[in-house]
Structure formats: C-alpha cells, structure tokens
Amino acid sequence: MANVLSQSEIDELLNAMNSGQDTGPVVEEKEETTECRVYDFRVANKFSKEQMKTLKIIFDSYANFLSNNITSTLRSVCDINVVSVEEQKFGEFNNSIPSPTIIGVVDAEPFDSSMIVTVSSTLSYAMISRIFGGEASYINVDKNFTEIEIVIMKNLFKQITSNLKTAWSKIVEISPMLQRIETTSQFTQITALNEPVALISMNVKIDEVDDMMYVCIPHVALQSVIKKLNTTAWTLGSGPKIVHQSKKELLEKDISDTECELNVALNDTTATFSEIYNLRVGDVICTNHNINDYITIYMEGTPKFKGVVGIAANKKVIQIAKIIKENKDSE
C-alpha cells in the first residue's frame, strides 16, 4: 500500500509551495538515444527466408527417404532428422570440418556447382561395422580411414546421393552423381571461401550411435533453380511418379541383372591313363561327338540349350539352336 501523508506533512508541503521553495528532487530529462548496428554489405544474406524454408521442407523429405534406405542397407534402425538450415560462408564451414571425416563431393545437374555431403567419423565407422555384421559402435574414431573403408563408404555414398533426386523431384529434376570421396577438407574447396552457402545440419542415430551429417550447397550452385525455391512450387509440384507394376514385371526387373554362369560341353569320351600321360603339344584327342551333333549349354549346371559351334569376329562362339524343355509347362 502506498505511503499516506500526515496532516503536518501536508501543511509543510503547502507552505513550501506558497514560499516558492523546492518541493522535491528535479528529474533530469534524458535524451533518447537509438543504438545503431553496423551493417556489412559484404556479408549480406543471399538466401531469403522463403528459400530457406523451402530447403528445410526438401531436406525433411530427404531425411525420411535416406532413413528408410540406410535402415534397409544396414539392417539396423536409422533415424535422421533435420536440425537446422542456415546460411554461412563456405570458408567457415570448410574450416569447421574435423579430420578425419568422410566428405563426398557431389555433382547434380542442373546445379551450377558441386555440393558437399559430410558424414562424421563416428557415423562412418558405425556404418562400416554394421555392414560387416558387427554392432554400430567403434572406439577409435580418430584414426585415419583405410582404403577398404573408403571404398565401402563410397558405395554407401552412392545410396546417400541417389536419395537427393527423389527429395528434389517436386522442385526440379536433378541427376546427382558422386564425384569423389575425401577425408580432409583441404581438398574440397568447391567455391570461394567468402561465398555464402546453405548448410543443412542433420542428426543421425544408428542404434546407440548419435552424430551429425551435413549437406553444404553454395548459393552459386542454385542460381538456375533459385526462383523455384518457394513453398508454392513445392505444393504444386507433381512429385515422384509411382508406377504400379505387376508381379511378373517386378520379378523380371529383379532378375534382369542377375549374373549366371554358362558352360558348354561335348559328349563324354574315355581314355586310358597311358594315353593321357603320353599326350604332347599338338596331339589330337578324339571325342565321341559327331560334328553334326548339338552341343549342350549348361546354365548354372542345368542343361538349358542346344547349340552349334561357329566362329564370329575371330572368336569361337556357340549359336543357340533349341531350348531344352524341362517339362511341358515351362521352358
């Protein structure tokens, strides 16, 4: 409750006012000052808020695709989330990359420059361990990568970069391709050090391992598609086409690239040990195979075709003449 003046205090105050005396402290008026912030035009933001928001949406989708892909490859649950999308100088990002780190330089047409994808040594060794059937953990994460480990990570990076195509499909059709793998940042200067870049930070968790991976896209790389980086284009984008295929088509697609071993054999013949022992260069072995008889072609040890011997382009060849029917319902 505020203080209440007594009657004597009121009388003294009235007398002081009548005599012109000072009744209290004078409050000095302070001039209002406005703080100014120094603005450096050399580091002006190149990415708008709308563009950064669209990149966040794109890489949220990318994190989802990549999480499913890595989970199926490593046969271990992988959870990936976008932590931040921010703008900074390329030099700041490049200098912050620890060594050793798996760094992938990726080209993606129609982008005008390469981009960088980095995976920490902790995550890299966890992935390598899972590929070899071990647990997603490794103690000595500061040692240099061996040639075998780099080759393994190169194969994984091909999957990591392939998901970029799906994630960007609503904005623009890109063709990502892994250019090379490095383990130190001194060989990955893809643009000028003062060039602004969009840095996408993603948290990756594989079993008990939890660390970061980054995607660095220079501003100059997005010049050809910068006008499409808006939420409207994303909303109206058609997205990846989903093709419904029959079971037969899916099966044919799965086995089309399967390698099979083919062998050809003449009719069997017999020889004594002394005949085989006395064979010399230039000797002729007589077989029980008539020149007009077909030669059997085996596929993975199973007789599948009948053929005839011939020569094409100075090479001995077998021309398939007929198919050996396994039963009356299939060939």
Side-chain angles (χ1 to χ4, degrees):
M1 184 175 180
N3 293 331
V4 179
L5 297 177
S6 62
Q7 185 61 45
S8 60
E9 292 172 336
I10 295 174
D11 294 336
E12 290 177 0
L13 180 61
L14 292 175
N15 293 332
M17 292 178 63
N18 293 330
S19 61
Q21 296 180 4
D22 188 6
T23 58
V26 177
V27 179
E28 297 181 358
E29 293 185 1
K30 295 183 178 180
E31 295 183 358
E32 294 183 0
T33 58
T34 304
E35 295 184 0
C36 297
R37 181 172 60 89
V38 178
Y39 186 83
D40 189 352
F41 287 92
R42 294 174 299 177
V43 294
N45 291 338
K46 293 291 186 70
F47 292 95
S48 66
K49 292 183 178 180
E50 180 75 8
Q51 292 165 355
M52 300 300 279
K53 182 178 180 181
T54 306
L55 286 174
K56 175 70 164 57
I57 296 173
I58 292 173
F59 280 91
D60 278 336
S61 177
Y62 172 70
N64 184 40
F65 292 133
L66 183 59
S67 177
N68 295 332
N69 192 298
I70 297 297
T71 297
S72 61
T73 301
L74 303 183
R75 293 180 175 85
S76 184
V77 177
C78 176
D79 187 24
I80 304 177
N81 296 298
V82 177
V83 177
S84 65
V85 179
E86 57 186 357
E87 178 181 341
Q88 65 176 231
K89 290 182 180 180
F90 176 75
E92 296 176 0
F93 164 73
N94 202 46
N95 293 334
S96 67
I97 300 176
S99 183
T101 298
I102 296 295
I103 308 171
V105 179
V106 181
D107 289 338
E109 295 183 355
F111 291 172
D112 300 323
S113 174
S114 301
M115 68 177 74
I116 285 179
V117 181
T118 69
V119 178
S120 69
S121 58
T122 302
L123 289 174
S124 299
Y125 281 120
M127 293 177 180
I128 294 170
S129 179
R130 283 298 305 157
I131 287 177
F132 283 108
E135 296 181 354
S137 61
Y138 196 84
I139 299 175
N140 189 15
V141 295
D142 294 328
K143 77 176 188 67
N144 292 327
F145 291 94
T146 64
E147 290 296 328
I148 295 176
E149 290 166 342
I150 292 176
V151 170
I152 293 171
M153 288 305 299
K154 185 175 182 179
N155 292 331
L156 279 174
F157 257 77
K158 291 179 181 178
Q159 299 183 28
I160 292 173
T161 55
S162 65
N163 286 274
L164 288 168
K165 180 177 182 179
T166 308
W168 279 85
S169 59
K170 279 194 173 184
I171 297 295
V172 62
E173 290 292 335
I174 66 173
S175 301
M177 181 177 297
L178 180 64
Q179 187 180 29
R180 66 182 188 275
I181 289 287
E182 301 288 351
T183 58
T184 178
S185 61
Q186 64 181 357
F187 301 115
T188 57
Q189 186 172 339
I190 59 174
T191 187
L193 295 179
N194 61 349
E195 173 70 20
V197 298
L199 182 62
I200 298 91
S201 306
M202 291 180 285
N203 179 263
V204 183
K205 184 175 182 182
I206 304 174
D207 292 344
E208 301 302 321
V209 176
D210 192 346
D211 215 323
M212 301 295 292
M213 68 173 288
Y214 300 92
V215 179
C216 172
I217 308 177
H219 182 267
V220 66
L222 299 175
Q223 288 303 303
S224 59
V225 299
I226 199 71
K227 293 182 179 179
K228 298 181 181 180
L229 281 181
N230 56 74
T231 53
T232 302
W234 171 268
T235 305
L236 299 178
S238 58
K241 296 181 180 179
I242 301 176
V243 180
H244 299 281
Q245 297 176 307
S246 65
K247 291 183 178 180
K248 181 180 178 181
E249 291 174 332
L250 291 174
L251 182 60
E252 290 176 348
K253 182 179 179 181
D254 289 338
I255 67 175
S256 60
D257 296 328
T258 304
E259 295 183 356
C260 298
E261 182 177 330
L262 294 179
N263 295 307
V264 295
L266 301 173
N267 292 339
D268 294 337
T269 189
T270 58
T272 63
F273 177 78
S274 61
E275 290 174 338
I276 297 174
Y277 181 77
N278 293 321
L279 285 175
R280 297 292 182 269
V281 177
D283 289 350
V284 177
I285 300 176
C286 294
T287 66
N288 294 325
H289 195 98
N290 191 290
I291 192 172
N292 296 320
D293 291 344
Y294 287 124
I295 292 180
T296 304
I297 303 173
Y298 294 85
M299 185 174 67
E300 294 292 337
T302 301
K304 186 65 178 177
F305 307 103
K306 291 290 186 179
V308 293
V309 180
I311 296 178
N314 296 325
K315 295 181 179 179
K316 293 180 180 180
V317 297
I318 303 294
Q319 183 181 33
I320 296 176
K322 59 187 297 187
I323 299 174
I324 299 176
K325 296 182 178 181
E326 298 176 359
N327 53 60
K328 63 180 181 180
D329 297 326
S330 63
E331 294 185 353

